Amino acid sequence: MDFNFTEEQSMVRDTVASFLQDKYDFETRRKIVASESGWRADYWKAFAEELGILGASFSEELGGLGGGAIDNMIIMEEFGKALVIEPYLGTVVIGGGFMKHSGYAGAASVIEGIVAGATTIAFAYAEPQGRYTWQDLKTTAKKDGSGYVLNGHKAVVVGAPFASHLVVTARTGGAQRDTGGVSVFLVDKSLPGIVTRDYPTVDGGRASEVYFENVSIPADALIGEEGGGLPLVNKVLDEATAAVGAEAVGVLRKLHEGTLDYAKQRKQFGTAISNFQVLQHRMVDMFIELEQAVSMTYMATIKLSESDAERAKAVSAAKVRIGRACKFVGQNAIQIHGGMGMTDELAIGHYFKRASIIEGLFGSVDHHLKRYESLSFGPASGKAA
Amino acid sequence: MNLDFSPEDVAFRDEVRAFIAENYPAGLREKQEEGEEMAKEDFLSWHRVLAKKGWVAPAWPEKYGGPGWTSVQRYIWSEETARADCVPILPFGINMVGPVIYTFATPEQKERFLPPTLSGDIWWAQGYSEPGAGSDLASLKTKAERFTGDDGKEYYLVNGQKTWTTLAQHGDWIFCLVRTDPTAKIQEGISFLLIDMKSPGVTVRPIITLGGEHEVNEVWLENVKVPVENRIYDENKGWTCAKFLLAHERSGIAGVARSKRGIERIRQIAQTELGDDGQPLLSDPDFKRKVADLEIDLTALEYTELRTLAGEAAGKGPGPESSVLKIKGTEIQQRITELVLEAAGHYGAPYFRGFPKDGDNAHPIGPDFAHRAAPTYFNVRKTSIYGGSNEIQRNIIAKMVLGL
């Protein structure tokens, strides 16, 4: 048993942590959120060149530093602590994930672009009607000569305003909710016919509604097997869910730590409120939730390379606990801060907002509980066989 | 035991329903339904309609301008206004300072302040909380020192800071607890003062909350000169008024009728939003279970409130049991907002300040209800904090009810 990180991994953590400490304090982050572009392109460049972290999770053959999911976990946790906006999840974890697992012919050159900080990716997978059923797709990619023509509407594509490329799921066959007929494409965002409506999100990020209106894409935009993309989507989204769990751990650590600090210095009825047993127990329960979330994030991250069913079960189990931790720790952090927790001025509320969005990201607690149940007990059935 | 409405009550309900249908401004209903931020005029327009009808202050005695309703009629009234998504009547004048004035003030003060409170000509702000004194109200520091002015009249010189002052940006007057005897014990030496917010030295600064709203404020009082005649009740006896006001604040805090309407709205939403299986969310067993649980808890709260109401009608004032209503009522309000956010799925994330207006070219993002789902979820976290936090309410029950 070894839960320790390698020397390289510890170094990645320290490098990221010290950069964020110097350059991503809460006031800076507030300015980034309020700025017109909504992110710091120069920081992204620094992640690539100065810190070298954009390549940390790619194998050396693909031009990376030889790491993997654990490096993503480490980086995402640090990003969670600083509420980093920049699109590591979409670009490295998701975009990079598709490159790693698809056997895509152009993978090496795409990864080269990611590692260099030149390529940024957002994942256009959700649709207005589909909720958390990733194969519920109205977006279509019809064969046209040697390429395809894309039509459809993708909902809440996080990070799209910063992206040079989109990874898009679309139907090349089958009916709206079939598991077959799903294909994945890597699409240059500047292609004619791609219309985006950009907006801020409640947690300080940016997203877009993306409309494809007869967008012609070349044959080599196809990632993986035509019509057989769903297992690939599930695998990458499981990796993304584990990574966002790590981000949640960073967010939860700050929520808990901030609440302890506040409770120790805030006085009421002539004493620090941390002396009240009811609040002590509450903070203990928050601590328990946090520790469980940490354990589950480690567990899920380690199991990402197991069989599809094992991986999916591990990730769903983790997301259930993490989702609950986000709600419990987040809500109680605000409660214990009292009125101050309700203000935009304190960082604590912004951590709460991010935690609240993570709670529903890539599937709610209910969604993952059902997925776990069906993996663990077999699919639901109305009658005994 | 008989919980049916009498024929008179049914007739009253029909009258109320018809009045609201005819007189409630339609634009307000829409705004209220979407949880949109209300402008000053939005609050006042409905207030004025009701003031004209004599229905704005259901709990006030008739001699001061109340409608003389029974507690059942008042209950019907709150049900019907919530059902119709009416803008709530702001509590600061009608439910808080008004009863303090008609109970403790001099005849001159009643004459001066009650009519404009009813008509909406005075917008009241509540100056209770201070930066160091939230739920621990009695530790307030704002001081009022008595002096004789150049005109030979008696004044207080008020210095301090109030906070969480809801909608004080529109305020005409603020009622404040101030310390008039710093040497007395903590709950003694406090007085209840009415301060004209146009007085020199009063500054209102916005506090922006998590949902992006400007709903609360800091109010700074710097050498504000307040005539002694603006003090309600005896000097240094303000705590009596404060406690009285808090008891009134807590009655009606359960918000049963509004929560009923909230659950009805969730049912509507969940009939059109689709769950993971492509069927309406309301057929999803987990979601349905949560709505059912919530309805059951709300029923328990409703009957608890009815028992409290019946007790009041029998002459028992709202006791510490009202803390039960506060705790359960606010928890239910919070769970409603959680479910709305959950129903919004991906569309809980987009954030828009304000709303798409008619004539906007841009088509809206996601379903209409989702626009305010997250900001409302964030905002409603306040309900378990304000009005004496739910932890404080539990302390009250422990001490006053259970004798612990």
Side-chain angles (χ1 to χ4, degrees):
Chain A
M1 273 288 121
D2 180 11
F3 279 102
N4 294 314
F5 299 126
T6 65
E7 217 170 288
E8 289 80 14
Q9 287 164 342
S10 301
M11 228 168 69
V12 168
R13 183 191 286 272
D14 295 346
T15 312
V16 175
S18 98
F19 179 92
L20 296 176
Q21 210 156 28
D22 289 351
K23 301 201 160 139
Y24 223 103
D25 60 282
F26 183 63
E27 275 318 303
T28 307
R29 195 254 184 194
R30 187 194 288 282
K31 282 186 195 128
I32 296 172
V33 167
S35 69
E36 201 181 327
S37 68
W39 73 313
R40 285 284 294 258
D42 58 332
Y43 279 5
W44 191 252
K45 212 173 160 57
F47 292 162
E49 292 169 7
E50 203 178 304
L51 278 65
I53 55 169
L54 299 185
S57 64
F58 295 109
S59 69
E60 281 162 11
E61 302 89 82
L62 288 170
L65 299 177
I70 293 175
D71 300 76
N72 280 337
M73 180 182 86
I74 288 169
I75 292 165
M76 287 297 288
E77 183 180 333
E78 294 307 315
F79 278 18
K81 287 184 195 162
L83 294 176
V84 169
I85 298 294
E86 284 67 24
Y88 188 87
L89 183 68
T91 302
V92 176
V93 179
I94 298 179
F98 277 110
M99 294 301 114
K100 281 182 194 173
H101 305 309
S102 61
Y104 182 60
S109 86
V110 173
I111 288 175
E112 198 181 309
I114 292 174
V115 174
T119 302
T120 40
I121 299 173
F123 188 25
Y125 62 108
E127 297 194 1
Q129 81 289 344
R131 206 168 179 82
Y132 305 124
T133 303
W134 314 133
Q135 70 269 27
D136 187 332
L137 299 174
K138 287 185 175 174
T139 299
T140 57
K142 291 223 167 75
K143 261 266 173 9
D144 180 54
S146 68
Y148 300 86
V149 175
L150 267 179
N151 275 290
H153 169 196
K154 292 293 180 176
V156 197
V157 184
V158 174
F162 324 138
S164 64
H165 290 74
L166 301 171
V167 172
V168 184
T169 55
R171 284 218 160 269
T172 44
Q176 191 183 317
R177 294 174 57 85
D178 284 356
T179 50
V182 175
S183 299
V184 185
F185 300 92
L186 178 70
V187 177
D188 185 329
K189 212 184 86 180
S190 63
L191 287 179
I194 298 181
V195 178
T196 60
R197 183 166 168 210
D198 302 346
Y199 48 81
T201 55
V202 290
D203 52 351
R206 299 287 166 101
S208 309
E209 295 300 289
V210 179
Y211 302 89
F212 299 98
E213 293 164 6
N214 295 317
V215 179
S216 287
I217 52 173
D220 67 4
L222 178 70
I223 301 173
E225 196 187 322
E226 187 182 279
L230 189 62
L232 181 61
V233 168
N234 283 332
K235 186 175 172 71
V236 173
L237 276 176
D238 277 343
E239 291 179 349
T241 306
V244 90
E247 185 191 350
V249 164
V251 170
L252 294 172
R253 284 191 198 284
K254 296 294 276 191
L255 281 165
H256 189 242
E257 186 186 293
T259 305
L260 294 183
D261 288 348
Y262 185 80
K264 285 179 198 163
Q265 55 96 5
R266 167 70 164 158
K267 287 200 166 66
Q268 272 199 324
F269 304 101
T271 180
I273 63 172
S274 59
N275 290 328
F276 299 134
Q277 197 173 43
V278 64
L279 298 190
Q280 289 175 351
H281 288 185
R282 194 89 52 87
M283 288 184 275
V284 169
D285 288 342
M286 290 164 74
F287 172 71
I288 292 169
E289 288 291 322
L290 162 63
E291 286 302 320
Q292 303 283 78
V294 172
S295 304
M296 289 302 248
T297 299
Y298 287 4
M299 184 278 296
T301 305
I302 290 163
K303 294 203 171 189
L304 285 175
S305 50
E306 308 243 330
S307 71
D308 284 359
E310 279 303 303
R311 179 203 71 223
K313 212 172 130 181
V315 166
S316 281
K319 189 68 193 333
V320 167
R321 283 249 49 98
I322 289 160
R324 287 189 176 146
C326 283
K327 179 168 270 168
F328 184 84
V329 177
Q331 291 185 348
N332 279 300
I334 299 299
Q335 182 71 20
I336 293 172
H337 275 77
M340 288 310 293
M342 290 300 302
T343 63
D344 181 68
E345 186 189 333
L346 256 59
I348 205 80
H350 297 265
Y351 285 96
F352 169 57
K353 291 202 270 190
R354 181 60 189 152
S356 302
I357 291 303
I358 290 176
E359 202 187 315
L361 194 57
F362 307 134
S364 62
V365 168
D366 282 354
H367 170 85
H368 282 285
L369 203 49
K370 276 185 198 135
R371 187 169 177 242
Y372 184 90
E373 283 169 11
S374 109
L375 288 161
S376 197
F377 305 106
S381 118
K383 290 179 204 133
Chain B
M1 298 258 303
N2 178 10
L3 296 171
D4 292 340
F5 287 146
S6 67
E8 292 78 24
D9 289 333
V10 172
F12 175 76
R13 186 191 63 196
D14 293 344
E15 185 194 353
V16 163
R17 213 173 267 187
F19 179 80
I20 294 171
E22 275 165 45
N23 294 284
Y24 185 59
L28 282 187
R29 184 189 166 118
E30 233 166 83
K31 273 183 147 182
Q32 179 69 9
E33 204 175 23
E34 296 293 326
E36 189 173 348
E37 257 184 276
M38 295 282 154
K40 180 175 187 178
E41 203 36 51
D42 292 330
F43 286 111
L44 281 177
S45 60
W46 181 227
H47 184 116
R48 288 201 195 98
V49 169
L50 293 178
K52 218 172 132 200
K53 176 82 178 166
W55 286 2
V56 80
W60 287 27
E62 273 179 283
K63 68 185 273 207
Y64 298 119
W69 288 341
T70 63
S71 55
V72 175
Q73 287 176 313
R74 298 209 299 267
Y75 172 76
I76 290 170
W77 173 249
S78 67
E79 284 267 301
E80 293 301 317
T81 46
R83 230 177 125 253
D85 287 317
C86 294
V87 179
I89 294 304
L90 289 176
F92 313 107
I94 299 298
N95 295 347
M96 295 180 183
V97 75
V100 169
I101 292 172
Y102 64 64
T103 308
F104 295 100
T106 63
E108 295 74 30
Q109 289 173 325
K110 289 179 193 174
E111 186 50 41
R112 182 175 170 203
F113 290 108
L114 291 179
T117 299
L118 282 174
S119 66
D121 290 334
I122 295 183
W123 181 294
W124 286 98
Q126 183 195 32
Y128 266 34
S129 292
E130 294 189 7
S135 288
D136 180 15
L137 187 56
S139 68
L140 63 94
K141 292 199 172 63
T142 296
K143 59 178 180 182
E145 295 161 295
R146 210 159 160 153
F147 71 101
T148 308
D150 297 340
D151 53 6
K153 288 187 0 193
E154 289 288 293
Y155 292 92
Y156 292 107
L157 191 66
V158 182
N159 278 287
Q161 186 195 347
K162 298 290 176 179
T163 193
W164 315 128
T165 321
T166 305
L167 299 173
Q169 67 267 39
H170 308 313
D172 301 306
W173 284 77
I174 181 167
F175 55 93
C176 288
L177 293 176
V178 295
R179 197 162 289 288
T180 33
D181 183 359
T183 62
K185 278 193 198 152
I186 187 161
Q187 291 176 351
E188 292 161 21
I190 290 173
S191 299
F192 192 99
L193 270 194
L194 310 181
I195 301 176
D196 185 340
M197 292 184 73
K198 287 183 290 294
S199 313
V202 178
T203 314
V204 177
R205 291 182 196 152
I207 299 174
I208 303 302
T209 47
L210 287 185
E213 291 96 353
H214 174 196
E215 188 175 62
V216 287
N217 302 272
E218 294 176 332
V219 178
W220 295 74
L221 303 158
E222 287 159 302
N223 294 322
V224 181
K225 206 171 136 187
V226 181
V228 165
E229 69 203 41
N230 290 6
R231 190 194 68 233
I232 303 294
Y233 203 49
D234 298 341
E235 189 169 80
N236 299 330
K237 298 289 176 207
W239 192 247
T240 307
C241 304
K243 278 193 303 185
F244 173 87
L245 183 148
L246 288 175
H248 274 257
E249 184 181 10
R250 257 166 237 155
S251 73
I253 207 161
V256 169
R258 301 241 162 227
S259 288
K260 270 192 191 171
R261 177 70 191 105
I263 291 178
E264 194 184 308
R265 212 171 138 248
I266 289 176
R267 282 170 166 276
Q268 285 164 356
I269 288 167
Q271 267 159 13
T272 47
E273 285 308 298
L274 301 181
D276 273 351
D277 56 0
Q279 301 301 309
L281 208 44
L282 205 56
S283 66
D284 176 298
D286 292 324
F287 197 84
K288 196 161 59 176
R289 169 70 55 84
K290 283 184 226 172
V291 178
D293 247 345
L294 201 49
E295 280 185 11
I296 292 166
D297 284 358
L298 182 56
T299 306
L301 176 68
E302 181 182 15
Y303 278 78
T304 307
E305 188 182 38
L306 289 173
R307 283 168 56 211
T308 312
L309 270 173
E312 272 179 57
K316 289 196 287 179
E321 296 85 358
S322 62
S323 293
V324 175
L325 301 179
K326 202 271 173 170
I327 293 167
K328 294 310 291 180
T330 54
E331 285 176 358
I332 286 169
Q333 289 156 29
Q334 292 177 335
R335 279 160 64 197
I336 289 171
T337 67
E338 283 171 23
L339 278 189
V340 174
L341 178 58
E342 209 174 305
H346 301 290
Y347 282 115
Y351 176 65
F352 297 95
R353 189 90 177 90
F355 286 77
K357 298 280 184 287
D358 287 344
D360 276 3
N361 285 326
H363 45 115
I365 297 292
D368 283 349
F369 81 89
H371 295 161
R372 299 287 303 164
T376 304
Y377 168 67
F378 300 143
N379 185 276
V380 170
R381 302 311 311 166
K382 73 189 174 191
T383 60
S384 52
I385 296 169
Y386 68 29
S389 72
N390 285 14
E391 288 81 6
I392 296 288
Q393 303 299 330
R394 286 183 165 92
N395 285 346
I396 291 172
I397 297 173
K399 202 167 153 190
M400 312 292 282
V401 183
L402 308 180
L404 299 174

